[in-house]
Amino acid sequence: LEGIGILFEELLEEEEIKELYYITDIGGSTINYLTVSEFLPVEKECFSEEKGVHFLARRLTNFIRQRGEIINEDVIKKNLVAERSLGNEVLDELKKEFGLKYVAETIEKSWKSIGVNIKEMISYQPFYITGGGAGLFKEELEEYFKVGNKTVTIKPQSVWSNCRGFRNYGKYKLGKK
């Protein structure tokens, strides 16, 4: 339920609270998928996959090695989590192309596996992508999932987002601001 904190942190102040929210939380080891109705998870539509940023780093390392280059996986991980370029053009380009393709297609296929088509529903249903890995491809994911003038909302989560979110939820339930 890690990604659910984003709802409590960001949305409790909204005038109109939607009935359903879809959340994808990209973490280090997993990508979590949550369907939330009235701030409660819909159990049959919540699942996790071991396909987080560490797995992306491993796949990217293997991809580079298949091209005949020698590279350490730690270098890949540092480049992936860097908010700026590390000066390695090959890695920067692969991060955008290979990384985005892996993350976006994984998210899209995983939601489709339970009958949720993000691109069909984006015009009327809120989709959030959060977690530490969300910030790696913020602009690219927004563009990838764009339909007309609608897209997913990317909320890269800080370490404390879930804590703040659940605190806000407690205050909300108690009727306090």
Side-chain angles (χ1 to χ4, degrees):
L1 296 179
E2 207 170 303
I4 202 169
I6 199 69
L7 287 182
F8 305 148
E9 184 178 32
E10 298 285 331
L11 304 174
L12 287 176
E13 302 298 323
E14 285 190 5
E15 296 286 326
E16 176 188 348
I17 295 177
K18 304 274 187 199
E19 184 177 323
L20 282 176
Y21 292 92
Y22 295 94
I23 304 167
T24 303
D25 178 14
I26 305 170
S29 298
T30 60
I31 298 178
N32 303 311
Y33 303 87
L34 301 138
T35 300
V36 180
S37 176
E38 298 178 11
F39 292 108
L40 295 172
V42 178
E43 190 174 331
K44 66 182 182 187
E45 293 185 16
C46 296
F47 59 100
S48 291
E49 297 179 306
E50 290 185 351
K51 294 184 177 181
V53 174
H54 298 299
F55 291 92
L56 170 58
R58 188 168 303 130
R59 289 189 66 185
L60 191 49
T61 302
N62 292 337
F63 178 76
I64 292 171
R65 288 177 180 162
Q66 287 172 357
R67 293 175 34 169
E69 298 176 41
I70 298 171
I71 192 153
N72 183 312
E73 190 171 319
D74 289 335
V75 172
I76 298 288
K77 285 181 183 176
K78 286 178 186 173
N79 184 272
L80 277 175
V81 299
E83 292 182 17
R84 56 172 172 54
S85 166
L86 292 180
N88 185 322
E89 289 179 27
V90 173
L91 286 180
D92 290 340
E93 192 60 34
L94 287 171
K95 176 180 173 180
K96 295 290 185 196
E97 288 183 29
F98 187 90
L100 172 65
K101 182 175 174 27
Y102 171 81
V103 171
E105 288 180 359
T106 296
I107 291 169
E108 190 170 28
K109 286 178 186 175
S110 296
W111 277 114
K112 280 185 178 177
S113 75
I114 62 165
V116 176
N117 186 322
I118 295 176
K119 289 184 177 178
E120 286 179 7
M121 299 174 76
I122 202 78
S123 63
Y124 62 90
Q125 200 62 56
F127 278 87
Y128 290 86
I129 300 178
T130 188
L136 299 178
F137 306 103
K138 183 181 185 317
E139 293 83 12
E140 294 86 356
L141 286 169
E142 288 169 339
E143 186 62 33
Y144 182 89
F145 288 111
K146 189 173 187 174
V147 177
N149 64 347
K150 298 279 190 170
T151 190
V152 294
T153 301
I154 310 291
K155 296 284 187 180
Q157 237 177 2
S158 71
V159 175
W160 298 106
S161 284
N162 282 314
C163 296
R164 285 191 304 264
F166 284 109
R167 179 177 175 267
N168 289 350
Y169 183 68
K171 290 168 68 177
Y172 173 79
K173 291 300 274 186
L174 293 171
K176 299 179 181 179
K177 288 278 178 175

